[in-house]
Amino acid sequence: MRNLSVDGGTLRGTACSVATVRRMTSLVAAMLPLGIGAIAARVLAAHRPARIANDFQQPLVVATNWGAYGAGAVAILAASVVLTTGLLVFTVLRFRPNARASDLGAILVAALVGIGFTLAWPFVFSSDLYAYAAYGDLAARGLDPYRLAPATLHDAFLDAARFQWSGPFPVDVYGPAMLAIGRAVVAVTGDANVALTLGSLRAVTIAAFLGSIVALHAALASCDERRRFVTTAAFALHPVILWSVAEGHNDAFVTLAASLAALAIARGRVVVGALVVGLLPVFKATGALFAVGLALAALARPHEDRSRRALWALAVGCVVTAVIAIPPLFPAFARFGAHGHYAPSLSLQGLIGPLPALAIAAAAAIVGAVSIVRSDGRGFAWIGLAALCALPNAYPWYALWLLPWALAAGASWPAIALGTATICNIARYLPDAAGVPDVGMAHLLAGISSAPLALALIPRRVAKAPERS
């Protein structure tokens, strides 16, 4: 009989491959509630009432004023998100002790599966994608998207957007970079194929999101592998993030640029990274939150050359942003000033009033600023919580994109509060999908959305428990 021998390295490689497949399978399984939700949503869509037949004739179906039927649609999404979150937390904590860099592949596969499940839903809850296309169409025509579109002007994009808003759609409030993306997609897909344009915008958003996962994982190379795995998985597989990406929200572009900036800084290219952070608001104003965080982190070490260079580059980026992004917004500001009204709804402001909520937001912002200056990454979670408290209407994707930077410092109660509040903010879809609720229901939903914020108040000595988990 011949002697059989197996190289030790081969055994280890085989064991690693088996472990990777096991992780991938488990992470993919955690996404299954989103797929089951898609099936339930399709069954619901098959039994839709005749009065909303026109909505289902649109290129992308948006649940709007559907009454009890719309409430059922939101309930399916909420159940899918909660179940996915539970499975994801269990799976991540299970594999965390043996985390390794190669887990990125498993996370990317699971993210793609999760996105596929969300794309399988027959409707969404946000009309923002129609607005992006309409703004790009106006820009391609040489018109100003920051002004109200002329009522006499008609084409496929403008009419589709008007249908979603039952009249004039909002003026553009995003930066020139986002407008350029919309204009480019409209130019490539043609000036009449709305469905192709919306699908292409979703595809570009998904690509940006996947790129941000890779960049984030690379930027965290110096972290402990367990923390790196938790942070990357919590960002890449968070069901609300997956849903937001599938809806095509432009925050994905801000996150990609922020992740690339973090990667540049992590690899010693401080000036490049800080400059990019300063330019983030050219996509969306919320990018300024990253600039605030970087400025505070640099101020924590004012005597270091690295910090001084970062501050100078950040300042240059902010100045360039102000020069190119703010002037075009003047017509939008003027319109909001003349026709807008402040109406807090499903948020902490809607629950306890603007002034008390803004006071809480200011306190959270101060805590966050002090924490970041002290090199405590949990400050990013506090900044996110401050943003949620300051917003009169908090949709699920608002402030969510700060979560990975908060988790990169270690799991903490402020970070858990931010993530939980984002999940509970699914309730914000209900008034739009079902119709305006009565005052009592609005207060109940605002309470559901705001309750998780209290988790951030758990004393630090108790909060150490999640960090060790």
Side-chain angles (χ1 to χ4, degrees), residues 166-211:
S166 301
F169 54 90
V171 296
D172 194 357
V173 294
Y174 306 114
M178 185 60 218
L179 180 59
I181 292 173
R183 180 175 182 173
V185 171
V186 169
V188 170
T189 57
D191 59 1
N193 196 331
V194 178
L196 178 60
T197 299
L198 297 181
S200 298
L201 282 170
R202 295 174 94 180
V204 172
T205 303
I206 291 168
F209 171 63
L210 295 175

Side-chain angles (χ1 to χ4, degrees), residues 324-399:
I324 67 175
I326 293 180
L329 285 169
F330 286 154
F333 294 153
R335 177 167 180 78
F336 289 137
H339 303 284
H341 59 281
Y342 197 77
S345 182
L346 287 136
S347 63
L348 187 62
Q349 289 192 36
L351 186 64
I352 66 175
L355 290 181
L358 290 174
I360 294 174
I366 292 171
V367 172
V370 172
S371 298
I372 294 174
V373 169
R374 292 178 176 175
S375 300
D376 184 348
R378 286 175 292 190
F380 285 100
W382 281 108
I383 295 295
L385 293 171
L388 289 180
C389 294
L391 290 168
N393 294 288
Y395 280 94
W397 61 92
Y398 289 177

Side-chain angles (χ1 to χ4, degrees), residues 51-425:
R51 62 182 177 80
I52 62 172
N54 285 341
D55 288 349
F56 278 83
Q57 298 301 316
Q58 303 307 306
L60 178 64
V61 182
V62 182
T64 308
N65 294 322
W66 286 359
Y69 185 82
V74 175
I76 293 173
L77 176 62
S80 301
V81 166
V82 170
L83 290 174
T84 301
T85 301
L87 288 175
L88 179 62
V89 170
F90 171 80
T91 304
V92 168
L93 292 180
R94 175 187 172 192
F95 291 112
R96 176 180 178 271
N98 299 312
R100 56 178 67 91
S102 59
D103 291 333
L104 175 62
I107 293 172
L108 284 171
V109 170
L112 283 169
V113 172
I115 290 171
F117 285 152
T118 54
L119 290 175
W121 284 62
F123 46 73
V124 296
F125 297 97
S126 170
S127 301
D128 283 4
L129 208 60
Y130 281 96
Y132 302 159
Y135 301 150
D137 174 54
L138 287 170
R141 288 172 168 269
L143 299 174
D144 188 356
Y146 299 102
R147 299 179 185 274
L148 196 64
T152 55
L153 182 62
H154 294 275
D155 67 15
F157 295 105
L158 302 181
D159 290 342
R162 289 181 180 122
F163 179 88
Q164 296 303 319
W165 273 272
S166 301
F169 54 90
V171 296
D172 194 357
V173 294
Y174 306 114
M178 185 60 218
L179 180 59
I181 292 173
R183 180 175 182 173
V185 171
V186 169
V188 170
T189 57
D191 59 1
N193 196 331
V194 178
L196 178 60
T197 299
L198 297 181
S200 298
L201 282 170
R202 295 174 94 180
V204 172
T205 303
I206 291 168
F209 171 63
L210 295 175
S212 67
I213 296 173
V214 176
L216 173 66
H217 190 265
L220 299 176
S222 62
C223 291
D224 173 82
E225 284 298 343
R226 292 176 296 177
R227 182 174 296 178
R228 190 185 190 190
F229 171 69
V230 171
T231 301
T232 306
F235 167 65
L237 305 179
H238 192 301
V240 179
I241 289 182
L242 294 175
W243 181 263
S244 299
V245 169
E247 282 192 330
H249 292 292
N250 54 17
D251 304 78
F253 300 106
V254 179
T255 307
L256 172 60
S259 300
L260 290 172
L263 177 59
I265 293 173
R267 294 188 173 177
R269 295 178 174 86
V270 177
V271 172
V272 174
L275 182 62
V276 171
V277 172
L279 293 170
L280 289 181
V282 299
F283 290 99
K284 192 172 185 177
T286 50
L289 293 175
F290 292 93
V292 171
L294 178 59
L296 291 170
L299 289 171
R301 300 179 178 84
H303 302 298
E304 292 184 6
D305 178 64
R306 175 187 174 98
S307 297
R308 289 195 295 269
R309 287 186 291 127
L311 285 172
W312 276 110
L314 181 63
V316 170
C318 290
V319 169
V320 172
T321 295
V323 170
I324 67 175
I326 293 180
L329 285 169
F330 286 154
F333 294 153
R335 177 167 180 78
F336 289 137
H339 303 284
H341 59 281
Y342 197 77
S345 182
L346 287 136
S347 63
L348 187 62
Q349 289 192 36
L351 186 64
I352 66 175
L355 290 181
L358 290 174
I360 294 174
I366 292 171
V367 172
V370 172
S371 298
I372 294 174
V373 169
R374 292 178 176 175
S375 300
D376 184 348
R378 286 175 292 190
F380 285 100
W382 281 108
I383 295 295
L385 293 171
L388 289 180
C389 294
L391 290 168
N393 294 288
Y395 280 94
W397 61 92
Y398 289 177
L400 176 62
W401 312 93
L402 289 175
L403 186 59
W405 314 105
L407 288 174
S412 64
W413 286 112
I416 291 172
L418 179 60
T420 307
T422 296
I423 292 169
C424 291
N425 276 346

